[in-house]
Amino acid sequence: MSLRRSPIGCPIRSICLFFKRAKVLPLHKENIHRKSSRRTKTIYLIGEGTGETIDKIARASLAQFLCEDLKVKKFFQVRSKEQIRKISNGASEDGALIAFSIVEPSLRDFLIEETRSCGIKAIDVIGDFIVQLSMFLEEKPMEVPGRQHVLNEEYYRRIEAINFAVKHDDGKQPQGLRVADMIFVGLSRTGKTPLSTYLAHQGWKVANVPLHPDMTPPPELFQVDQHRIFALIINVETLVKVREARLRQVGLTPDARYADPVRISDEIDWCKAFYEQNPGWHVIDVSDKAIEEAAASILNIYQSKKRSKSRI
Amino acid sequence: MSLRRSPIGCPIRSICLFFKRAKVLPLHKENIHRKSSRRTKTIYLIGEGTGETIDKIARASLAQFLCEDLKVKKFFQVRSKEQIRKISNGASEDGALIAFSIVEPSLRDFLIEETRSCGIKAIDVIGDFIVQLSMFLEEKPMEVPGRQHVLNEEYYRRIEAINFAVKHDDGKQPQGLRVADMIFVGLSRTGKTPLSTYLAHQGWKVANVPLHPDMTPPPELFQVDQHRIFALIINVETLVKVREARLRQVGLTPDARYADPVRISDEIDWCKAFYEQNPGWHVIDVSDKAIEEAAASILNIYQSKKRSKSRI
């Protein structure tokens, strides 16, 4: 039988993304002039694998610029000279800057030659770091692409953690709480689900339980080690903003009872009082924090608790 | 009332991680000697925010080395000179290499001075790239930490996508299939859930529906645009391996019917025949592919379909 296959090794596919970010420039004359007189700049990101590394580096670096008229074109799974040639020609036409992460030597050298002959700049974003590591480790780099994604026992543990988080989301299967590394509790829209799946992708077994004045949490929540429970708290302004955003996302009007500031304030007061009754829980303020930032705070606490326990 | 707060700005907390990877060195005498005579090397990763960027770069770069006796210590949310001083002293004692990602100028300069006076090497992993970007964009970098995590409409869309994926996992709420960007179908343990949450964290609305010879898929699956359906296929060897790993992870013996090769082979044959009855679906081979790699293949197809549609 013939099955259509995934396109590894097929002709290049590019993705055009406009990195969106908050615009902080005030709207005075000088800035309007500056914006309109400036041509759109283009950056090409090239990776030989999934493109995660180059994407992460580009996002972190570009966040340091306003770059209002910037176009980012991504090319991943680039594994042939033919692909490199086409991309270089495109970059030359666009007058683009190329940022790449390619470890396979002949492909990397070819890219450098091609871009040089096209007169465009290409930056090897982790090449220098690999050279420095090589000197420090006194070991030659393997120069083999895709070595990050080894399907070993650690990988399967991570997959298991993701399945666990989804199965134990929103208070489901409370009997599973006893085997969770961490448990998140909090009001609706305090980020329990995104936090759980984010940390699950890092290999942590996470469950979450919703709290509401009219609901009784499952008894299992109080039977587990209470120091593994992270109680999310948020201020009224942020929760109103988050719930309004939620209503917009699902196409409802923002005047619903769900985003009513008075009601939200009551919910938060109840929640704080409830947390005070459970002094073993770690209270985490998630107001105005992205899930990545809240996760970093939680991991800091979790790891330091674990270390202090192992010292006892 | 007083609530315990998350530890931003609190004393440094470090996490010791041993990056695990498949060991490929054969166990002959020379290698045993090499391993035992070599001292453990230590790398310090320092980030001023969540540490995601430095972590990603380190993982990608270290994957190019065997570095069997390597210890990696991570320090994130580093925002004070006091923290830098303590970390530098620790690194000096360990004879470590420091890799850092700090954009705040006074902190970055302080780190460079401190490590220089301690006689250890510190590498600014994205500093050079930011300088190159600055020249290309003709714009000064803002040098403000944490700018990646702006809570804008795009952020809330991503949060909504994560909640959507969890709510529409494993065939739940099939009426939601019509608004999904992508739908994954496949046998048990072909990676539907990890793929869904992975792509959801990138902002894609993804649902997944399990397939099994004894189950009838929900009628909604056949009522949506069939080109948005990605049908996961896998070979017998990989599925046996994955299901055995699953049984080990949950503490069951690997001889259960779930991981029986004959039964799995029958399931896969049935699945292939079922996919042939649905020619609109994209068949994706996930054998021996990490979720990140499968996701890259899927996005390639999805984006190229979208582009060719927009050209019509």
Side-chain angles (χ1 to χ4, degrees):
Chain A
M1 66 176 290
S2 86
L3 290 175
R4 277 162 302 114
R5 296 283 164 191
S6 65
I8 289 186
C10 287
I12 306 155
R13 286 173 174 87
S14 71
I15 298 174
C16 301
L17 287 175
F18 291 83
F19 278 71
K20 286 171 197 157
R21 58 183 58 81
K23 293 179 182 173
V24 295
L25 269 187
L27 205 64
H28 56 64
K29 216 177 162 186
E30 190 196 354
N31 287 327
I32 295 169
H33 171 72
R34 184 174 159 235
K35 193 181 168 185
S36 58
S37 69
R38 218 173 156 187
R39 68 174 177 85
T40 298
K41 302 215 171 191
T42 311
I43 291 179
Y44 276 44
L45 305 180
I46 306 177
E48 67 207 320
T50 62
E52 285 169 289
T53 310
I54 185 83
D55 190 62
K56 190 87 219 143
I57 294 171
R59 277 181 187 271
S61 307
L62 286 171
Q64 292 303 317
F65 300 91
L66 291 174
C67 46
E68 297 212 313
D69 290 318
L70 179 69
K71 202 171 172 180
V72 178
K73 292 188 183 181
K74 299 207 298 181
F75 303 84
F76 44 71
Q77 297 183 328
V78 173
R79 297 271 172 109
S80 75
K81 292 185 177 175
E82 190 44 39
Q83 289 174 300
I84 298 275
R85 194 172 286 125
K86 281 188 186 166
I87 297 169
S88 300
N89 289 339
S92 176
E93 279 170 28
D94 286 340
L97 174 75
I98 288 181
F100 69 94
S101 167
I102 292 179
V103 296
E104 204 284 307
S106 67
L107 209 60
R108 186 180 52 212
D109 293 347
F110 185 77
L111 171 67
I112 293 167
E113 280 163 32
E114 274 293 299
T115 50
R116 197 173 288 158
S117 73
C118 290
I120 45 173
K121 198 165 177 61
I123 302 162
D124 183 355
V125 287
I126 60 168
D128 280 351
F129 184 46
I130 289 179
V131 170
Q132 299 277 1
L133 277 176
S134 177
M135 290 190 293
F136 178 73
L137 298 169
E138 298 167 81
E139 196 186 317
K140 205 181 159 313
M142 276 174 275
E143 302 180 326
V144 176
R147 273 194 45 90
Q148 272 185 82
H149 303 295
V150 181
L151 305 190
N152 54 12
E153 210 55 32
E154 193 200 344
Y155 172 82
Y156 291 122
R157 201 175 50 78
R158 199 155 64 84
I159 295 297
E160 198 49 42
I162 298 164
N163 287 312
F164 182 90
V166 172
K167 279 203 171 58
H168 296 84
D169 180 63
D170 206 31
K172 285 197 297 281
Q173 304 194 14
Q175 65 280 15
L177 294 180
R178 63 182 170 77
V179 291
D181 294 317
M182 307 170 206
I183 299 161
F184 299 139
V185 298
L187 297 171
S188 172
R189 288 287 135 174
T190 45
K192 297 182 297 297
T193 300
L195 261 174
S196 300
T197 53
Y198 179 78
L199 285 166
H201 272 270
Q202 294 180 25
W204 300 102
K205 269 180 135 171
V206 187
N208 74 73
V209 177
L211 298 180
H212 188 272
D214 302 336
M215 269 166 46
T216 308
E220 289 88 345
L221 185 65
F222 306 97
Q223 291 157 5
V224 301
D225 174 5
Q226 298 294 288
H227 293 295
R228 282 192 281 126
I229 299 178
F230 292 83
L232 311 182
I233 197 72
I234 194 166
N235 63 32
V236 179
E237 300 72 35
T238 310
L239 193 51
V240 169
K241 208 166 64 182
V242 173
R243 288 194 180 173
E244 280 179 356
R246 154 108 180 114
L247 293 171
R248 271 198 308 280
Q249 291 286 343
V250 296
L252 294 170
T253 49
D255 58 357
R257 206 170 121 77
Y258 182 67
D260 169 20
V262 178
R263 194 181 157 221
I264 283 180
S265 175
D266 289 347
E267 275 185 48
I268 292 174
D269 286 345
W270 169 84
C271 196
K272 285 178 177 173
F274 189 66
Y275 290 171
E276 287 206 329
Q277 293 165 27
N278 293 281
W281 298 358
H282 307 285
V283 178
I284 303 288
D285 190 348
V286 295
S287 311
D288 289 317
K289 264 190 206 162
I291 47 164
E292 293 83 359
E293 294 168 315
S297 301
I298 289 163
L299 274 184
N300 260 348
I301 297 177
Y302 181 81
Q303 297 280 7
S304 67
K305 281 273 161 199
K306 223 174 159 185
R307 272 198 307 281
S308 62
K309 236 183 180 176
S310 69
R311 277 197 295 269
I312 294 167
Chain B
M1 64 174 294
S2 85
L3 290 176
R4 278 161 300 115
R5 296 282 165 193
S6 66
I8 289 186
C10 287
I12 307 155
R13 285 173 175 86
S14 70
I15 297 174
C16 302
L17 286 176
F18 290 83
F19 279 71
K20 286 172 196 156
R21 59 183 57 82
K23 292 180 182 173
V24 294
L25 268 187
L27 204 65
H28 57 65
K29 216 178 163 187
E30 190 196 355
N31 287 326
I32 295 170
H33 172 73
R34 183 173 160 236
K35 194 181 169 185
S36 58
S37 69
R38 218 173 155 187
R39 68 175 176 83
T40 298
K41 302 215 170 190
T42 311
I43 292 178
Y44 276 45
L45 305 180
I46 307 177
E48 68 207 322
T50 61
E52 285 169 289
T53 310
I54 184 83
D55 189 62
K56 190 87 218 141
I57 294 171
R59 278 181 187 271
S61 306
L62 286 170
Q64 292 302 317
F65 300 92
L66 291 173
C67 46
E68 297 213 311
D69 290 318
L70 179 69
K71 202 171 171 180
V72 178
K73 293 188 181 180
K74 299 207 298 182
F75 303 84
F76 43 71
Q77 297 183 329
V78 173
R79 297 273 173 108
S80 75
K81 292 184 177 176
E82 190 45 38
Q83 289 174 300
I84 298 276
R85 194 172 286 124
K86 281 188 186 167
I87 297 169
S88 300
N89 289 339
S92 177
E93 280 170 29
D94 286 340
L97 174 76
I98 288 181
F100 69 94
S101 167
I102 292 179
V103 296
E104 203 284 307
S106 67
L107 208 60
R108 186 181 52 212
D109 293 347
F110 185 78
L111 171 67
I112 293 167
E113 280 164 32
E114 274 293 299
T115 49
R116 196 172 289 159
S117 73
C118 290
I120 46 173
K121 196 163 178 64
I123 302 162
D124 184 355
V125 287
I126 60 168
D128 280 350
F129 184 47
I130 290 179
V131 170
Q132 299 277 2
L133 277 176
S134 177
M135 290 190 293
F136 177 73
L137 298 169
E138 297 167 81
E139 197 186 317
K140 205 181 158 311
M142 276 173 275
E143 301 180 328
V144 176
R147 272 194 46 89
Q148 273 186 80
H149 303 295
V150 181
L151 306 191
N152 54 12
E153 210 55 31
E154 193 200 344
Y155 173 82
Y156 291 122
R157 200 174 51 77
R158 199 156 63 85
I159 296 298
E160 198 49 43
I162 298 164
N163 287 312
F164 182 90
V166 173
K167 278 203 172 58
H168 296 84
D169 180 62
D170 206 32
K172 285 198 297 282
Q173 304 194 14
Q175 65 280 15
L177 294 180
R178 63 183 171 77
V179 291
D181 294 317
M182 305 170 208
I183 299 161
F184 298 140
V185 297
L187 297 171
S188 172
R189 288 287 135 173
T190 45
K192 297 182 297 297
T193 299
L195 262 173
S196 300
T197 53
Y198 179 78
L199 285 166
H201 273 270
Q202 294 180 24
W204 300 103
K205 269 180 135 170
V206 187
N208 74 73
V209 177
L211 297 180
H212 189 273
D214 302 336
M215 270 167 45
T216 307
E220 289 87 346
L221 185 65
F222 306 97
Q223 291 157 6
V224 301
D225 174 5
Q226 299 295 288
H227 293 295
R228 282 192 282 125
I229 300 177
F230 292 83
L232 311 182
I233 197 71
I234 194 165
N235 63 32
V236 179
E237 300 72 35
T238 310
L239 193 51
V240 169
K241 208 166 65 181
V242 172
R243 289 195 180 172
E244 280 179 355
R246 154 107 180 115
L247 293 171
R248 271 198 307 279
Q249 291 286 343
V250 296
L252 294 170
T253 49
D255 58 357
R257 206 170 121 76
Y258 182 67
D260 169 20
V262 178
R263 194 180 156 221
I264 283 181
S265 175
D266 289 347
E267 276 185 46
I268 292 175
D269 286 346
W270 169 84
C271 196
K272 284 179 178 173
F274 189 66
Y275 290 171
E276 288 206 328
Q277 293 165 27
N278 293 281
W281 298 359
H282 307 285
V283 178
I284 303 287
D285 190 348
V286 294
S287 311
D288 289 317
K289 265 191 204 161
I291 48 165
E292 293 83 358
E293 294 168 316
S297 302
I298 289 164
L299 274 183
N300 260 347
I301 297 177
Y302 181 80
Q303 297 279 6
S304 67
K305 281 273 160 197
K306 223 174 158 184
R307 272 198 307 281
S308 62
K309 236 182 180 176
S310 70
R311 277 197 295 268
I312 294 167

